[in-house]
Amino acid sequence: MLTESEPTPGAEGIPSAQLLNLFGVPAMYNHATGTNVSNITWINNGIEFSLTSNDMNLDQLQDIAISTFGQVGK
């Protein structure tokens, strides 16, 4: 599921998340321990995106995230 929202100032991070670089756009990747649920979150052009899946791997999540660059309103 891909969601987009306005970033929340002062929002806490995810301590277990891995920091990623999506062609210069920072992102956080988290895989919930003991589950198949993975999440990638990034901010691009002032919009926070979050992509969650229980059947995609990191490479697939990154490909979808990168596909949103340069687009307005999904």
Side-chain angles (χ1 to χ4, degrees), residues 33-53:
T33 304
T35 72
N36 289 331
V37 178
S38 295
N39 174 271
I40 187 170
T41 303
W42 67 100
I43 297 176
N44 193 26
N45 294 323
I47 302 294
E48 180 177 317
F49 294 87
S50 182
L51 178 60
T52 304
S53 176

Side-chain angles (χ1 to χ4, degrees), residues 24-36:
V25 175
M28 293 185 303
Y29 170 73
N30 189 49
H31 181 84
T33 304
T35 72
N36 289 331

Side-chain angles (χ1 to χ4, degrees), residues 20-27 44 62-63 65-67 69:
L20 305 174
N21 181 351
L22 305 177
F23 295 104
V25 175
N44 193 26
Q62 287 183 105
D63 287 345
I66 292 166
S67 76
F69 295 179

Side-chain angles (χ1 to χ4, degrees), residues 2-28:
L2 176 64
T3 61
E4 58 181 72
S5 61
E6 290 189 27
T8 305
E12 296 180 16
I14 304 169
S16 61
Q18 174 185 350
L19 185 60
L20 305 174
N21 181 351
L22 305 177
F23 295 104
V25 175
M28 293 185 303

